[in-house]
Amino acid sequence: MARLEAYDKSLDYSYAPGIFPATECLHNAKDRCLRLLLSSSSEKSAGAQALRQAAEASGVRVEIADRALERISRKENCFAAMVYRKAEGVFDDAAPHVVLHHPSDSGNLGTILRTALGFGLRNIAVIRPAVDSDDPHVTRASMGAAFSLNVRHFGSFEQYREEFADRQLFPFMLTGAVPLEEAVTKVTGPFSLVFGNEASGLPDDFAQMGVSTLIPHSHQIDSLNLAIAAGIGMYAFSNVMKNHPNDG
């Protein structure tokens, strides 16, 4: 087998480090799994052994690869990592989308992916430039949730809008005109929740696109963390999906 490289975004494969993310990869994206890497200490872990058995039953090659795991995780206590093939997701056009405009932090992106799955929003558009969604740090932060989601990348927001021109947009902005509690009442069909970069938010022109949405908070802080804001927004709109079954 070819030697595995330290992760680089130019590679056509990546790693899901950790027993739980690797297990999620195997269970939810089996056709993309290439190899399971285990540490020589993995025999001490019941979870690692269960993962090994599941991988072998699925025909996935299993290797003891301590050095590779050290390069991937930079942690000595990583028992396992799944090597998987990268792939673009396929959107359900009628379902809600979460659009992340230039996210830059791997922890935030991973948390948003995990939260999106928790609230049933499975279609995630990442607008580049952005943090690499296949970076092992993102995968680990998402606890493998990415393998149950449809994650797609777009070179610009205009490219996204060209493909999904008829969707109702809810850009979340500090200058939003409509409070979140009211915004959720304005859903009329398939919709997209749009969140901006951690530092700069969304550009001002997004205020003219759809329903610019504000999450009210005290003036003792200037803004909410992106992952927190996205979680609040997704939770609020997940209740809308129950009333619009064709959109969920």
Side-chain angles (χ1 to χ4, degrees):
M1 298 290 286
R3 181 180 183 275
L4 295 171
E5 303 291 337
Y7 180 71
D8 184 276
K9 65 181 179 180
S10 65
L11 296 172
D12 62 0
Y13 62 86
S14 185
Y15 306 97
I19 294 172
F20 192 83
T23 300
E24 289 296 289
C25 184
L26 180 63
H27 286 173
N28 297 301
K30 185 186 303 183
D31 60 333
R32 295 167 58 191
C33 293
L34 303 175
R35 305 188 218 178
L36 174 63
L37 309 180
L38 294 176
S39 79
S40 56
S41 301
S42 62
E43 293 181 359
K44 303 174 185 177
S45 168
Q49 290 309 301
L51 174 58
R52 177 175 192 152
Q53 292 172 10
E56 290 174 342
S58 298
V60 176
R61 179 186 174 96
V62 178
E63 303 175 15
I64 301 299
D66 291 322
R67 290 186 179 180
L69 287 171
E70 289 176 8
R71 289 197 303 271
I72 294 162
S73 68
R74 299 177 185 175
K75 295 176 64 177
E76 295 181 358
N77 61 346
C78 182
F79 285 147
M82 184 66 74
V83 186
Y84 70 90
R85 176 176 50 82
K86 295 179 181 178
E88 287 287 294
V90 178
F91 278 3
D92 178 348
D93 294 351
H97 296 175
V98 175
V99 182
L100 304 175
H101 190 265
H102 305 332
S104 61
D105 183 86
S106 58
N108 277 337
L109 180 54
T111 300
I112 291 170
L113 295 179
R114 181 167 170 77
T115 306
L117 180 60
F119 292 138
L121 291 97
R122 294 178 176 269
N123 303 286
I124 314 295
V126 178
I127 310 299
R128 289 171 170 153
V131 63
D132 179 9
S133 64
D134 281 299
D135 188 294
H137 292 92
V138 174
T139 304
R140 189 154 197 165
S142 81
M143 292 299 288
F147 301 113
S148 296
L149 299 170
N150 307 313
V151 181
R152 286 188 59 186
H153 300 85
F154 297 84
S156 66
F157 186 73
E158 289 73 23
Q159 181 186 3
Y160 171 79
R161 284 299 283 160
E162 183 176 348
E163 184 169 348
F164 301 103
D166 297 331
R167 301 184 67 82
Q168 188 178 15
L169 298 180
F170 290 85
F172 281 69
M173 309 181 71
L174 291 175
T175 56
V178 182
L180 177 60
E181 186 175 352
E182 180 183 348
V184 297
T185 69
K186 296 184 177 295
V187 172
T188 58
F191 61 89
S192 299
L193 309 181
V194 188
F195 300 94
N197 173 266
E198 289 89 342
S200 58
L202 290 171
D204 292 342
D205 57 353
F206 275 76
Q208 308 306 317
M209 302 180 192
V211 181
S212 65
T213 302
L214 172 70
I215 300 177
H217 58 72
S218 80
H219 296 295
Q220 293 178 297
I221 59 171
D222 58 355
S223 64
L224 294 168
N225 168 271
L226 173 60
I228 296 295
I232 292 170
M234 289 187 288
Y235 170 73
F237 278 86
S238 69
N239 291 320
V240 176
M241 292 160 54
K242 298 172 185 176
N243 299 321
H244 293 262
N246 292 332
D247 302 335

